[in-house]
Amino acid sequence: MKPTFSVRLRVFNLNCWDIPYLSKHRTDRMQRLGDFLNFESFDLALLQEVWSEQDFQYLRQKLSLTYPDAHYFRSGLIGSGLCVFSRHPIQEIIQHIYTLNGYPYMVCHGDWFCGKAVGLLVLHLNGLVLNVYVTHLHAEYSRQKDIYLAHRVVQAWELAQFIHHTSKHADVVLLCGDLNMHPRDLGCCLLRGWTGLRDAYVETQDFKGSEDGCTMVPTNCYVSQQDLGPFPLGIRIDYVLYKAVSGFSICCKTLKTTTGCDPHNGTPLSDHEALMATLYVKHSPPQEDPSPAHGPPERSALISVLREAWTELGLGVAQARWWAALAGYVTVSGLFLLALLCALAVGGGAREVAMLLWTPSVGLVLGAGAVCVFHRQEARGLCRAQAELQHVLRRERETQDLGSEPHLAQAD
Amino acid sequence: MKPTFSVRLRVFNLNCWDIPYLSKHRTDRMQRLGDFLNFESFDLALLQEVWSEQDFQYLRQKLSLTYPDAHYFRSGLIGSGLCVFSRHPIQEIIQHIYTLNGYPYMVCHGDWFCGKAVGLLVLHLNGLVLNVYVTHLHAEYSRQKDIYLAHRVVQAWELAQFIHHTSKHADVVLLCGDLNMHPRDLGCCLLRGWTGLRDAYVETQDFKGSEDGCTMVPTNCYVSQQDLGPFPLGIRIDYVLYKAVSGFSICCKTLKTTTGCDPHNGTPLSDHEALMATLYVKHSPPQEDPSPAHGPPERSALISVLREAWTELGLGVAQARWWAALAGYVTVSGLFLLALLCALAVGGGAREVAMLLWTPSVGLVLGAGAVCVFHRQEARGLCRAQAELQHVLRRERETQDLGSEPHLAQAD
């Protein structure tokens, strides 16, 4: 039996842009972030792009009195970059590493090496079970020609599935992070639709901060016009999302963002803007709890989003298979070339040329072989997510045919 | 409100040894497996090592009347090999791919390429929420010198965590699969201790089958003495594990295994033995439900298992770092060698020898570099699991210090 009460939660979220050797004024920004978090004393501070474990340890030590519990989510070669500082004891921890996360040969983008993930913390506050998720999805490097769109949609689906399956016992669900998606992007609609999470920026009555809630703005001196692409006034890609299950209600009393400047010193804490939300959770009888994902229009919208995601992943599969086939042909051609070079070297005529071409040919065969293997694996990963989406759509059709309560009414 | 009733569940589990080009009598065995499953009409048939999607499609078609719902869990390059056939509609599906699964350069073992995973199906039977998990962990190729031990312990921990976090809403939890661990192995104790799952072979009053419940036996013509290693009489590595939450009770009425022979034709269905369990679930008032993981002795045993796992992973981390360092030195040495070869080739003296050695040197640098990167990633993965174990142990210590109800009492 849950008690009748109201709990206030003050939450901080920031993509810290803490990349060793690459990010500007790293040490100074981390120091000021620590001071700010200590000064504000939030219930939870959720950070992304902390790609230096030393910086996490520095913050952990600095914040140890105000935030006694902390966790760094390790993954991939560099790390997920995710960490969390909590005023309340963290009861349980688990993380899920996304199965698709860009391409290893796109070294300049580097997402593949990070092992992007979602971390889950379970907190117990006055008998309330609170599931807090923190994540960072694959970056969008070009809006016009987004080669990572299918991967981001799969990540959004995996995130939604992970939340759906791990939060069935929770009273309140909170998701913070850098989704690298605009509010109306397919992945964002899929995530909100499948989990029933609500957007703090849309829901709050009291918003203060950057125009349209943008979290990358041109007034931030670390942001270039190139980063904003076709949105020179800014983009909103960082979020605080939440929901409460039947029996509880949650509302966002206030939401603030930084506006390209540090709240105290005038220079930004990061290239992203921080989000600061004050949430209130209270006990509410089940019948009074209006859940936005239960009506037929919402269900119909969700089905259309699921279908769109399925189609998008289909395009991704075709693309991945095309690349795998191309790399396969190159591998075979490289093998023929190697055989030819061997013959030339043995024959004697162009021996030196043959030996000079030997190394690049071996490289070609191995490289193309690896690319072929990688894209075959990618196609399989995309097919897997597609099969899950197809299963949901089939279940919904069957349930509708039977005329019973639709299966998709699962926001809580 | 759950109704008062009793549900019978007949479950079949088999590692099918269905590896294209490698397994003997594949087509014939798959045909006979289909016939047997149709004849027996189980509630659920959970299969591992179905590494041919065509064979899954063949079974799906053959079993479509008896088992209207089915799912194949895709992952990795070859696939997880997991699939399921169900007499009841599968409500929901999700899978988790283990983050550590052997080494890509151990091509002869091949586990790395399979993408070993755990699949979850949610079924609703007469209002009962049933979470069914199917899995296959990394093989043990040598009992005496098991280089994959740390990986298997991490997989067992990830499996236990996945079950723990996704089954909080379930009434009954069922796990079937090839764990590649003996009943008293560290990973097996960790899994049972952390989830509270009970072993059908230990619990049942009515067991019929191979001696000591072994699932790889010397009487099976596909099993060599080399497969059994130091256990010539057989090993038990395939399991049916289960638990019910408070309010329900579950018991294993009968458990049968095949005994190296097909039940009808005399030749085995696989190199593993099949498990066939009949389980009964019934409503039972919470106070009457004795849960085996609640007493202080069980908690103390679990803590000692968690500590042992933490230590084992520590050894794994040291080993991974050693390999990463060695590969790093080889990479740097290879780079020096390449520079020397360049100088020799330019100098003219040993030009031909230098050019001949150029390809193996480039191969050495790239290969050692890749091995270094892989083992650094491995060390990070092991550290991540270690951090989760450490968090559990720290929470337990803190709770004990406060003198409150221990945190580890979480079997249901």
Side-chain angles (χ1 to χ4, degrees):
Chain A
M1 179 67 196
K2 308 284 179 186
T4 306
F5 64 95
S6 168
V7 167
R8 189 186 73 157
L9 264 178
R10 291 182 62 240
V11 180
F12 176 90
N13 180 78
L14 178 65
N15 176 323
C16 295
W17 192 45
D18 176 29
I19 314 170
Y21 314 113
L22 287 178
S23 305
K24 288 181 192 158
H25 316 134
R26 239 181 85 218
T27 317
D28 172 58
R29 289 189 291 110
M30 281 290 133
Q31 276 173 6
R32 286 191 289 120
L33 176 63
D35 294 336
F36 180 70
L37 291 178
N38 267 334
F39 177 78
E40 287 283 346
S41 187
F42 295 98
D43 291 285
L44 281 164
L46 301 143
L47 309 180
Q48 301 93 51
E49 281 199 12
V50 180
W51 271 316
S52 154
E53 208 166 324
Q54 280 86 337
D55 286 354
F56 167 73
Q57 294 301 347
Y58 163 77
L59 283 177
R60 174 175 219 161
Q61 201 168 8
K62 186 167 183 139
L63 304 177
S64 59
L65 291 178
T66 330
Y67 304 84
D69 222 343
H71 189 76
Y72 187 73
F73 293 95
R74 291 174 184 88
S75 87
L77 185 66
I78 301 169
S80 69
L82 306 172
C83 64
V84 63
F85 297 91
S86 170
R87 274 215 301 148
H88 313 281
I90 300 170
Q91 300 294 331
E92 299 182 1
I93 291 167
I94 187 175
Q95 80 185 70
H96 168 78
I97 298 167
Y98 298 121
T99 51
L100 291 177
N101 186 35
Y103 306 105
Y105 51 78
M106 298 298 272
V107 182
C108 54
H109 290 166
D111 293 62
W112 188 84
F113 297 90
C114 305
K116 295 273 174 79
V118 47
L120 160 61
L121 324 162
V122 181
L123 305 181
H124 295 170
L125 302 183
N126 302 337
L128 194 80
V129 179
L130 180 67
N131 272 26
V132 183
Y133 300 84
V134 56
T135 196
H136 186 188
L137 304 193
H138 197 293
E140 184 188 73
Y141 294 96
S142 163
R143 187 90 183 157
Q144 287 76 22
K145 199 182 173 194
D146 183 11
I147 56 168
Y148 302 111
L149 178 59
H151 285 213
R152 211 177 303 102
V153 171
V154 169
Q155 290 187 343
W157 174 244
E158 281 186 19
L159 172 60
Q161 280 273 76
F162 183 72
I163 293 174
H164 173 65
H165 283 276
T166 55
S167 69
K168 290 181 178 177
H169 188 63
D171 300 316
V172 172
V173 175
L174 181 66
L175 166 64
C176 296
D178 175 359
L179 299 184
N180 271 313
M181 298 186 292
H182 297 217
R184 292 193 182 180
D185 282 0
L186 175 60
C188 225
C189 297
L190 187 64
L191 173 66
R192 287 201 312 269
W194 186 236
T195 58
L197 286 167
R198 284 140 58 199
D199 186 343
Y201 173 72
V202 174
E203 301 280 326
T204 189
Q205 297 290 316
D206 181 3
F207 173 76
K208 284 191 187 73
S210 55
E211 205 169 344
D212 296 329
C214 288
T215 57
M216 283 194 91
V217 293
T219 50
N220 186 309
C221 62
Y222 300 130
V223 175
S224 68
Q225 274 303 323
Q226 203 188 342
D227 294 330
L228 299 173
F231 305 95
L233 300 178
I235 52 178
R236 187 158 81 87
I237 56 175
D238 301 81
Y239 296 84
V240 172
L241 302 165
Y242 56 76
K243 72 171 180 179
V245 298
S246 177
F248 291 90
S249 71
I250 182 167
C251 69
C252 180
K253 198 78 177 169
T254 66
L255 181 70
K256 282 198 286 186
T257 70
T258 50
T259 53
C261 311
D262 176 275
H264 299 300
N265 296 311
T267 50
L269 284 174
S270 167
D271 61 344
H272 284 240
E273 302 310 314
L275 288 162
M276 289 158 276
T278 307
L279 307 167
Y280 279 85
V281 183
K282 60 178 189 177
H283 193 82
S284 82
Q287 65 274 20
E288 289 177 19
D289 182 34
S291 190
H294 276 195
E298 287 81 8
R299 272 202 303 276
S300 148
L302 174 55
I303 290 171
S304 123
V305 166
L306 288 165
R307 282 198 186 124
E308 201 184 330
W310 188 87
T311 309
E312 192 58 53
L313 298 191
L315 295 174
V317 171
Q319 190 83 351
R321 286 186 177 150
W322 187 86
W323 279 109
L326 180 69
Y329 287 127
V330 173
T331 310
V332 173
S333 312
L335 285 170
F336 275 118
L337 181 63
L338 274 179
L340 187 71
L341 291 176
C342 285
L344 278 174
V346 171
R351 196 169 178 181
E352 198 157 298
V353 176
M355 283 166 71
L356 263 178
L357 286 175
W358 181 254
T359 303
S361 304
V362 169
L364 184 78
V365 168
L366 292 179
V371 170
C372 176
V373 163
F374 182 83
H375 282 291
R376 283 175 68 94
Q377 198 159 351
E378 181 195 12
R380 199 171 275 268
L382 291 163
C383 281
R384 184 180 60 76
Q386 245 198 336
E388 285 182 18
L389 288 166
Q390 197 165 6
H391 180 264
V392 173
L393 288 165
R394 187 165 56 81
R395 285 289 312 142
E396 172 66 2
R397 206 170 44 241
E398 284 169 6
T399 326
Q400 275 183 349
D401 288 350
L402 290 169
S404 59
E405 187 61 17
H407 177 65
L408 286 178
Q410 58 171 315
D412 54 8
Chain B
M1 180 66 195
K2 308 284 180 184
T4 304
F5 64 94
S6 168
V7 167
R8 190 186 72 157
L9 263 179
R10 291 182 63 240
V11 179
F12 176 90
N13 180 77
L14 178 65
N15 175 323
C16 294
W17 192 45
D18 177 29
I19 314 170
Y21 313 113
L22 288 177
S23 306
K24 286 179 191 158
H25 315 133
R26 238 181 85 217
T27 316
D28 171 58
R29 289 190 291 109
M30 281 290 133
Q31 275 172 8
R32 285 190 291 119
L33 175 63
D35 292 338
F36 180 71
L37 291 178
N38 266 335
F39 177 78
E40 287 283 348
S41 188
F42 294 99
D43 290 286
L44 280 165
L46 301 143
L47 309 180
Q48 300 93 51
E49 280 199 13
V50 180
W51 271 315
S52 153
E53 206 165 326
Q54 280 86 340
D55 286 355
F56 166 74
Q57 293 301 346
Y58 162 77
L59 283 177
R60 175 174 219 163
Q61 200 167 11
K62 185 166 183 141
L63 304 176
S64 60
L65 290 178
T66 330
Y67 304 83
D69 223 342
H71 189 75
Y72 186 73
F73 292 95
R74 291 174 185 89
S75 88
L77 185 66
I78 300 168
S80 68
L82 308 171
C83 63
V84 62
F85 298 92
S86 172
R87 275 217 300 147
H88 313 279
I90 300 170
Q91 300 295 330
E92 298 182 2
I93 292 167
I94 186 174
Q95 81 185 68
H96 168 78
I97 299 167
Y98 298 121
T99 51
L100 291 177
N101 187 35
Y103 306 106
Y105 51 79
M106 298 299 272
V107 181
C108 55
H109 290 165
D111 293 63
W112 188 84
F113 297 92
C114 306
K116 294 275 174 76
V118 47
L120 160 61
L121 323 161
V122 181
L123 306 180
H124 295 170
L125 301 182
N126 302 337
L128 194 80
V129 178
L130 180 67
N131 272 26
V132 183
Y133 300 84
V134 57
T135 195
H136 186 188
L137 303 195
H138 197 292
E140 184 188 70
Y141 294 96
S142 163
R143 187 88 184 157
Q144 287 76 21
K145 200 182 171 193
D146 182 11
I147 55 168
Y148 303 111
L149 178 57
H151 284 213
R152 211 177 303 101
V153 172
V154 169
Q155 290 187 344
W157 174 245
E158 281 186 20
L159 173 60
Q161 281 273 74
F162 183 72
I163 293 173
H164 173 66
H165 284 276
T166 54
S167 69
K168 291 182 177 176
H169 188 64
D171 300 317
V172 172
V173 176
L174 182 66
L175 166 64
C176 295
D178 175 359
L179 300 184
N180 271 313
M181 299 186 291
H182 297 216
R184 291 192 182 180
D185 282 0
L186 175 59
C188 226
C189 297
L190 186 65
L191 173 65
R192 285 201 312 270
W194 187 236
T195 57
L197 287 167
R198 283 141 59 197
D199 186 344
Y201 173 72
V202 174
E203 301 280 326
T204 187
Q205 298 291 316
D206 181 2
F207 173 77
K208 283 192 187 75
S210 55
E211 205 169 342
D212 297 327
C214 288
T215 56
M216 281 195 93
V217 294
T219 50
N220 185 310
C221 62
Y222 300 130
V223 176
S224 70
Q225 274 303 323
Q226 202 188 342
D227 294 330
L228 299 174
F231 304 95
L233 300 177
I235 51 177
R236 187 158 80 88
I237 55 174
D238 301 80
Y239 297 83
V240 172
L241 302 165
Y242 55 76
K243 73 170 180 180
V245 298
S246 177
F248 291 90
S249 72
I250 182 167
C251 70
C252 180
K253 199 77 178 168
T254 66
L255 180 70
K256 283 197 286 187
T257 70
T258 50
T259 54
C261 312
D262 175 274
H264 300 298
N265 296 312
T267 50
L269 285 175
S270 168
D271 60 347
H272 284 241
E273 301 311 315
L275 289 162
M276 289 157 277
T278 307
L279 307 167
Y280 279 84
V281 183
K282 61 177 188 177
H283 193 81
S284 83
Q287 63 275 21
E288 289 175 20
D289 181 34
S291 188
H294 277 196
E298 287 80 7
R299 272 202 303 273
S300 148
L302 174 56
I303 290 171
S304 122
V305 166
L306 288 165
R307 282 198 187 125
E308 200 183 331
W310 187 87
T311 310
E312 192 57 55
L313 298 191
L315 296 174
V317 171
Q319 189 83 352
R321 285 185 179 152
W322 187 87
W323 280 109
L326 180 70
Y329 287 127
V330 173
T331 311
V332 174
S333 312
L335 285 171
F336 274 116
L337 180 64
L338 274 179
L340 186 72
L341 291 176
C342 285
L344 278 173
V346 171
R351 197 168 179 181
E352 198 155 299
V353 176
M355 284 166 73
L356 264 177
L357 286 175
W358 180 255
T359 304
S361 305
V362 169
L364 184 78
V365 168
L366 291 180
V371 169
C372 177
V373 163
F374 182 83
H375 282 291
R376 284 175 66 94
Q377 198 160 351
E378 181 196 13
R380 198 170 276 269
L382 291 163
C383 281
R384 183 179 61 77
Q386 245 197 336
E388 285 181 18
L389 288 166
Q390 197 165 7
H391 179 264
V392 173
L393 288 164
R394 186 166 56 82
R395 283 291 310 144
E396 172 66 0
R397 206 169 45 241
E398 284 169 6
T399 326
Q400 272 182 352
D401 288 350
L402 289 170
S404 58
E405 187 61 18
H407 178 66
L408 285 177
Q410 59 172 313
D412 54 10

